[in-house]
């Protein structure tokens, strides 16, 4: 436990600065006068790349590596790309994932009261699961290392290692053990999502899942093929408790999952390793609405709550753990009260959601 924690804040592009400011306001309010966090802002992103030719300065990288945690808004501007065609705005997130070994991407999927799911007849409380996305290998391991040959062919390689799969699967079972189980039946359950019927790399992932599952006889273990899972998350979301999957599958499935709970604006994410963490909403930089003051701040606010919980547990600091719970309760209440931005069918702007959130913190 420390008196104060260093938080590296990287606002990024598009709506990134707006949602970051919103989260900082809520964090400050959650602690009242005694803020145990020191925020320092650092530049990175596509706009920086456009201006300077550099998307992620070394000074920012070092600050992120040395901080207690990193809070990120969002990054990326369509068309701002490297010579190989990949987006410069993504360098920040991807480099941190690989170089700080942020192997676990924890994405809670929860339907709040006050939000209408596009799934007919599905009510608040009936969707409540975690997608645990492997975040350091899989298909993304090929970032910057694939090959393109004479404009005729291109190759990226999907990588699974025993160490990488084992640690993510183990974490999935630990999350399930600490949870209340699936909404439909209360069963603590981990679903391994792969394409083991077609590719060796996924059969390998599944075999390690089966080995690790033996250490958790109290948790139900099951398999799901990625294509079928895209259907099941729509037809029976209440069955799921914890889903563990390869990097790219987790990326895709988490957007689908977000759609079932009202959209990307309500999808937080925590990317953590053994001693470092990056916290940012799962949504992108939404350049079309940047600067209008109408961005949905909940994803970033809830990611900031995850940051406090992760840091608070690691440092055995109850000030942070209880502030995380306050922010989550306030979010639930504000959403339930109808403080909704346009993407959620409401009319509130970012500032009024923040105001409502801060008022709900004391409730
Ligand atoms: C996400 C995003 C990222 C990804 C980008 C920002 C690199 O889509 O976190 O889901 O593709 O993983
Ligand atoms: Mn994504």
């Amino acid at each position: 436990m420390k008196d104060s924690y260093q938080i590296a804040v990287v606002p990024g592009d598009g709506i990134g600065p707006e949602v970051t400011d919103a989260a900082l306001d809520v964090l400050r309010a959650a602690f009242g006068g005694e803020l145990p966090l020191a925020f320092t802002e650092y530049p990175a992103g596509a706009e920086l790349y456009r201006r300077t030719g550099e998307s992620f300065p070394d000074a920012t990288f070092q600050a992120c590596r040395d901080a207690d945690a990193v809070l990120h808004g969002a990054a990326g501007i369509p068309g701002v790309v490297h010579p190989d065609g990949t987006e410069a705005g993504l360098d920040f997130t991807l480099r941190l994932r690989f170089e700080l070994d942020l192997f676990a991407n924890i994405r809670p999927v929860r339907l709040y009261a006050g939000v209408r799911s596009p799934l007919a007849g599905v009510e608040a409380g009936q969707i409540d699961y975690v997608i645990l996305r492997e975040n350091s290998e899989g298909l993304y391991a090929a970032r910057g290392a694939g090959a393109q040959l004479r404009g005729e062919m291109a190759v990226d390689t999907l990588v699974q290692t025993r160490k990488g799969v084992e640690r993510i699967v183990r974490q999935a079972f630990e999350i399930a053990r600490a949870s209340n189980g699936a909404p439909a039946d209360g069963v603590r359950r981990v679903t391994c999502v792969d394409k083991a019927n077609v590719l060796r790399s996924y059969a390998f992932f599944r075999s390690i899942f089966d080995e690790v599952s033996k250490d958790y006889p109290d948790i139900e273990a099951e398999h799901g093929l990625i294509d079928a899972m895209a259907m099941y998350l729509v037809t029976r979301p209440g069955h799921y408790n914890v889903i563990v999957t390869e990097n790219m599958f987790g990326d895709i499935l988490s957007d689908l999952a977000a759609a079932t709970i009202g959209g990307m604006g309500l999808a937080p994410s925590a990317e953590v390793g053994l001693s470092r963490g990056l916290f940012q909403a799962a949504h992108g930089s939404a350049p079309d609405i940047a600067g209008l003051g109408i961005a949905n701040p909940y994803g970033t606010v809830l990611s900031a709550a995850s940051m406090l919980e992760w840091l608070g547990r690691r440092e055995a600091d109850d000030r942070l753990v209880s502030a995380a719970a306050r922010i989550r309760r306030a979010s639930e209440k504000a959403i339930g009260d109808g403080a909704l931005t346009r993407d959620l069918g409401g009319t509130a702007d970012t500032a009024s959601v923040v105001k409502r959130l801060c008022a709900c913190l004391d409730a």
Side-chain angles (χ1 to χ4, degrees):
M1 174 167 168
K2 302 180 185 173
D3 287 343
S4 175
Y5 300 91
Q6 296 295 328
I7 309 298
V9 177
V10 180
D13 304 307
I15 60 168
E18 296 160 68
V19 293
T20 304
D21 283 348
L24 295 183
D25 284 348
V26 174
L27 284 169
R28 289 192 188 94
F31 287 101
E34 283 153 44
L35 184 68
L37 307 171
F39 303 122
T40 315
E41 283 196 17
Y42 298 94
E47 183 52 42
L48 189 72
Y49 181 80
R50 186 147 67 184
R51 268 202 333 265
T52 67
E54 204 179 18
S55 59
F56 190 3
D58 271 341
T60 300
F61 176 76
Q62 277 153 25
C64 291
R65 186 195 56 203
D66 297 342
D68 290 300
V70 182
L71 183 67
H72 183 223
I77 301 174
V80 179
V81 295
H82 291 294
D84 70 0
T86 60
E87 263 194 59
L90 309 188
D91 296 344
F92 173 78
T93 293
L94 293 169
R95 184 170 169 205
L96 288 182
R97 286 178 185 170
F98 294 125
E99 292 188 28
L100 301 187
D101 199 20
L102 308 176
F103 66 87
N105 191 330
I106 306 164
R107 301 191 151 178
V109 181
R110 181 165 168 221
L111 180 60
Y112 287 93
V115 175
R116 185 142 23 99
S117 170
L119 307 182
V122 178
E123 308 277 322
Q126 295 176 346
I127 302 179
D128 193 358
Y129 58 88
V130 173
I131 294 181
L132 186 60
R133 166 184 178 188
E134 202 296 319
N135 215 35
S136 62
E137 46 184 51
L139 192 51
Y140 275 51
R143 163 84 171 184
Q148 202 260 57
L149 204 56
R150 295 184 285 276
E152 293 298 334
M153 62 162 276
V155 184
D156 282 311
T157 308
L158 194 158
V159 178
Q160 312 277 22
T161 66
R162 174 171 289 279
K163 176 183 165 203
V165 178
E166 197 175 323
R167 64 186 179 176
I168 198 72
V169 167
R170 215 164 268 291
Q171 183 153 354
F173 281 98
E174 295 293 336
I175 293 174
R177 192 172 262 173
S179 78
N180 294 324
D185 55 12
V187 173
R188 293 190 174 83
R189 169 181 297 122
V190 180
T191 309
C192 172
V193 176
D194 55 48
K195 193 74 185 177
N197 52 343
V198 175
L199 292 177
R200 256 182 208 160
S201 53
Y202 290 114
F204 179 67
F205 191 103
R206 183 182 285 199
S207 68
I208 294 173
F209 173 85
D210 290 343
E211 274 172 38
V212 171
S213 70
K214 297 201 181 84
D215 292 342
Y216 297 87
D218 51 318
I219 314 289
E220 188 176 297
E222 65 172 18
H223 307 136
L225 293 169
I226 181 68
D227 47 351
M229 281 298 289
M231 176 180 69
Y232 288 140
L233 290 188
V234 171
T235 55
R236 54 165 201 185
H239 172 76
Y240 296 99
N241 177 197
V242 178
I243 289 168
V244 65
T245 190
E246 179 268 331
N247 205 335
M248 176 74 127
F249 284 170
D251 180 44
I252 298 168
L253 216 51
S254 59
D255 277 27
L256 187 151
T260 66
I261 56 155
M264 294 305 291
L266 290 174
S269 148
E271 307 183 43
V272 301
L274 295 178
S275 61
R276 297 203 169 81
L278 164 66
F279 301 85
Q280 60 180 327
H283 61 65
S285 57
D288 53 322
I289 58 160
L292 301 180
I294 57 171
N296 180 342
Y298 286 112
T300 307
V301 167
L302 290 166
S303 301
S306 298
M307 175 180 84
L308 294 181
E309 191 184 340
W310 173 78
L311 203 49
R313 294 209 185 283
R314 206 190 75 191
E315 301 280 335
D317 190 335
D318 193 52
R319 293 174 305 173
L320 307 191
V321 176
S322 61
R326 278 201 295 286
I327 293 176
R328 290 201 177 116
R329 276 199 305 272
S331 301
E332 192 169 354
K333 178 139 202 328
I335 293 168
D337 288 352
L340 303 178
T341 42
R342 287 164 212 212
D343 53 305
L344 298 173
T347 56
D349 58 11
T350 312
S352 57
V353 170
V354 170
K355 202 164 160 216
R356 187 82 212 116
L357 272 167
C358 292
C360 290
L361 281 166
D362 318 315

